[in-house]
């Protein structure tokens, strides 16, 4: 069954036809199951953990709580495309330098969410960024290095 | 599990699509609450009517009153400095909803229509005397939020009616909540206090059954401006006595009573110029 506006889903700059995607399918499942973009992780599937965070038109969204056909023509950016964004590259570099991951499952969500925050609020302080990162959970509880990565980013200035 | 997804371009078309689907149609705004249910088959609609193309986004001040379109995402209110300045309690409550990623999509109208008993927005909107504008095939009607909310997950909306906008008069206000975890958790209780005029206080509480409500007994004891210590304590004790708290997996009734007592007093101190 095709969706109501059913044309294409633009992910990381590439358009994918979604006419065959069922109306009830979530963006998370389309990305992972159809487009083979496995960097976006499924955590809780209830909007509580942030592991599935992607950018929709530059703003963070929980891809487990978005129907694929509801995205319309707004461009989607996943972790696979985040390095094309200068803020995304800076976040990746900071996470790399601080070793801000343990098992790594939550990392794509953190990187994408933080990239979105930097674009939305370029002047935000480290504390403000950390407050708004509270939607992302790390089950390894490896927060100390993530906090260091955020402070590193802010020490560089906006 | 499967359903037909439709995205009408006008309210009239939306009403028609909802009427055709009588009883088996669900309304989709931001989807952050509905999709949670759809995954658990607590709701199994045959048709889902998306409001994303309706011209109801946006918010604006009309004098001292904020008018919010029902499909306005919460984040648009959060990032507007005039909302933080003129409706501080509402701003705090919005920031308490989920995460930034959730607030990018979740809408004010959706929060009201879904009417969760633990909603962080309902107590502050009750305290601020918000009004709901309801659109239907026969025209629009307005209703005080207190009359709109009937019970847990139940409102006065009569299908195929939709919320068109929410009207919120500006007032000094405060919202305080208690949770197990500060982030990404649901409040055990939420206390909202608005102070629209000299010696006028409106107190509402959430996390109670069957729905968030005002506490007229607690309000009635606040006669001074600002209320002195003993008056604040009496109001807080009355609030804790008056509200019908449940015991559930989030908190016991006794815990909720103690927290509400503390939060009401703290909120009154905050409105009198002290630290919250």
């Amino acid at each position: 069954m095709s969706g109501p506006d059913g044309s294409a889903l633009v992910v990381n700059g590439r358009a994918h036809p979604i006419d065959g995607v069922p109306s009830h399918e979530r963006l998370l499942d389309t990305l992972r199951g159809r487009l083979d973009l496995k960097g976006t992780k499924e955590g809780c599937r209830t909007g509580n953990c942030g592991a599935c965070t992607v950018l929709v038109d530059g703003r963070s969204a929980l891809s487990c709580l978005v129907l694929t056909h509801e995205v319309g023509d707004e461009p989607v950016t996943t972790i696979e495309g985040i390095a094309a964004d200068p803020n995304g590259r800076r976040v990746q570099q900071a996470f790399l330098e601080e070793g801000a991951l343990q098992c790594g499952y939550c990392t794509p969500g953190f990187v994408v969410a933080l990239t979105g925050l930097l674009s939305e609020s370029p002047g935000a302080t480290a504390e403000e960024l950390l407050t708004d990162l509270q939607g992302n959970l790390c089950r390894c509880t490896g927060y100390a290095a993530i906090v260091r990565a955020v402070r590193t980013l802010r020490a560089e200035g906006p | 599990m499967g359903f037909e997804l439709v995205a009408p371009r006008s309210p009239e078309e939306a009403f028609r699509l909802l009427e055709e689907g009588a009883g088996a149609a669900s309304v989709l705004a931001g989807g952050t609450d509905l999709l949670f249910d759809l995954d658990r088959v607590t709701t199994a609609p045959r048709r889902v009517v998306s409001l994303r193309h309706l011209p109801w986004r946006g918010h604006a001040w009309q004098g001292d009153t904020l008018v919010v379109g029902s499909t306005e995402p919460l984040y648009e209110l959060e990032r507007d400095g005039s909302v933080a300045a003129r409706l501080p309690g509402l701003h705090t409550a919005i920031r308490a909803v989920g995460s930034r990623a959730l607030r990018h999509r979740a809408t004010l109208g959706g929060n009201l229509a879904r009417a969760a008993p633990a909603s962080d927005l309902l107590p502050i909107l009750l305290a601020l005397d918000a009004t709901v504008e309801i659109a239907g095939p026969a025209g629009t009607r307005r209703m005080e939020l207190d009359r709109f909310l009937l019970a847990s997950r139940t409102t006065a909306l009569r299908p195929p009616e939709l919320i068109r906008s929410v009207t919120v008069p500006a007032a000094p206000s405060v919202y305080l909540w208690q949770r197990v975890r500060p982030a990404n958790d649901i409040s055990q209780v939420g206390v909202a206090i608005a102070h629209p005029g000299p010696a006028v206080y409106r107190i509402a509480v959430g996390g109670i059954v069957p729905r968030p409500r005002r506490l007229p007994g607690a309000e009635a004891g606040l006669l001074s401006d600002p209320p002195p210590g003993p008056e604040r304590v009496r109001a807080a004790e009355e609030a804790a006595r008056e509200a019908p708290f449940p015991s559930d997996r989030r908190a016991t009734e006794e815990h909720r009573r103690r927290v509400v007592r503390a939060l009401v007093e703290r909120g009154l101190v905050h409105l009198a110029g002290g630290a919250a």
Side-chain angles (χ1 to χ4, degrees):
Chain A
M1 184 197 294
S2 76
D5 311 275
S7 44
L9 180 71
V10 179
V11 183
N12 302 332
R14 243 187 93 194
H16 303 269
I18 53 166
D19 289 331
V21 174
S23 291
H24 65 262
E25 188 164 302
R26 320 270 165 137
L27 179 58
L28 170 66
D29 300 321
T30 303
L31 293 171
R32 290 180 56 87
R34 292 177 195 271
L35 307 185
D36 205 30
L37 294 168
K38 300 279 172 68
T40 303
K41 302 304 182 194
E42 176 176 337
C44 64
R45 215 179 167 85
T46 59
N48 279 283
C49 77
C52 69
T53 306
V54 299
L55 300 181
V56 177
D57 202 17
R59 288 183 169 188
S60 58
L62 300 162
S63 62
C64 73
L65 292 183
V66 178
L67 295 177
T68 302
H69 286 284
E70 280 284 285
V71 175
D73 53 11
E74 297 187 311
V76 175
T77 307
T78 68
I79 187 68
E80 288 89 349
I82 208 76
D85 178 328
N87 281 326
R89 269 203 307 282
R90 290 177 55 218
V91 171
Q92 285 180 320
Q93 194 59 35
F95 269 58
L96 186 66
E97 282 167 17
E98 297 297 341
L101 61 136
Q102 289 189 23
C103 83
Y105 199 81
C106 69
T107 312
F110 267 101
V111 170
V112 170
L114 188 52
T115 301
L117 288 176
L118 287 176
S119 305
E120 265 178 349
S121 319
T125 64
E127 292 314 309
E128 287 166 345
L129 292 172
L130 289 169
T131 299
D132 281 319
L133 265 185
Q134 285 182 344
N136 291 76
L137 303 184
C138 168
R139 283 203 67 182
C140 305
T141 69
Y143 292 106
I146 295 170
V147 171
R148 281 203 310 274
V150 172
R151 296 203 194 289
T152 303
L153 274 170
R154 282 296 80 159
E156 294 168 3
Chain B
M1 174 93 208
F3 50 75
E4 176 198 16
L5 177 65
V6 289
R9 303 227 164 226
S10 70
E12 294 69 29
E13 198 187 342
F15 300 142
R16 185 179 58 74
L17 288 164
L18 286 165
E19 268 178 332
E20 279 174 13
S26 289
V27 177
L28 173 67
T32 53
D33 193 41
L34 180 70
L35 265 62
F36 184 89
D37 277 1
L38 289 179
D39 236 12
R40 275 149 205 80
V41 201
T42 51
T43 308
R46 284 203 295 275
R47 171 180 284 174
V48 170
V49 179
S50 164
L51 306 186
R52 74 188 169 98
H53 289 314
L54 295 193
W56 290 347
R57 271 178 89 134
H59 68 272
W61 288 96
Q62 290 178 1
D64 286 333
T65 298
L66 180 68
V67 181
V68 185
S70 62
T71 57
E72 181 77 330
L74 296 179
Y75 180 67
E76 296 298 332
L77 300 171
E78 175 180 349
R79 75 190 187 108
D80 182 338
S82 74
V83 175
R86 302 177 73 183
L87 285 164
L90 179 63
H91 191 258
T92 304
I94 286 172
R95 294 265 303 160
V97 177
S99 61
R100 171 79 71 96
L102 187 127
R103 297 192 297 273
H104 278 146
R105 299 195 81 83
T107 67
L108 189 65
N111 197 281
L112 266 61
R114 302 283 293 170
S119 161
D120 286 296
L121 301 183
L122 296 180
I124 189 66
L125 291 170
L126 284 169
L128 289 164
D129 252 352
T131 307
V132 184
E133 185 193 10
I134 299 168
T140 62
R141 57 188 180 122
R142 286 178 178 280
M143 195 181 267
E144 290 165 22
L145 178 59
D146 201 30
R147 287 179 47 230
F148 176 81
L149 298 173
L150 299 182
S152 173
R153 299 280 188 189
T154 309
T155 71
L157 283 175
R158 296 188 295 248
E161 286 182 326
L162 296 167
I163 301 173
R164 183 196 177 99
S165 70
V166 183
T167 300
V168 195
S173 50
V174 62
Y175 180 66
L176 299 161
W177 45 262
Q178 178 68 35
R179 298 173 180 175
V180 175
R181 289 183 289 137
N184 264 4
D185 201 359
I186 290 170
S187 298
Q188 298 166 328
V189 291
V191 168
I193 311 178
H195 180 35
V200 179
Y201 292 88
R202 291 194 299 250
I203 305 176
V205 62
I208 59 172
V209 285
R211 64 169 180 91
R213 53 166 275 197
R214 291 266 298 274
L215 299 176
E219 295 172 2
L222 293 164
L223 305 169
S224 321
D225 201 352
E231 210 171 292
R232 292 198 300 261
V233 170
R234 273 200 307 278
E237 281 171 353
E238 180 57 24
R241 199 194 58 75
E242 193 177 6
F245 296 103
S247 278
D248 59 25
R249 65 196 166 87
R250 285 197 196 100
T252 62
E253 178 185 349
E254 176 58 21
H255 176 75
R256 284 186 161 99
R257 281 193 197 288
R258 291 170 68 114
V259 171
V260 161
R261 187 192 178 289
L263 295 186
V264 168
E265 201 181 340
R266 200 178 297 171
L268 290 169
V269 169
H270 174 80
L271 287 172

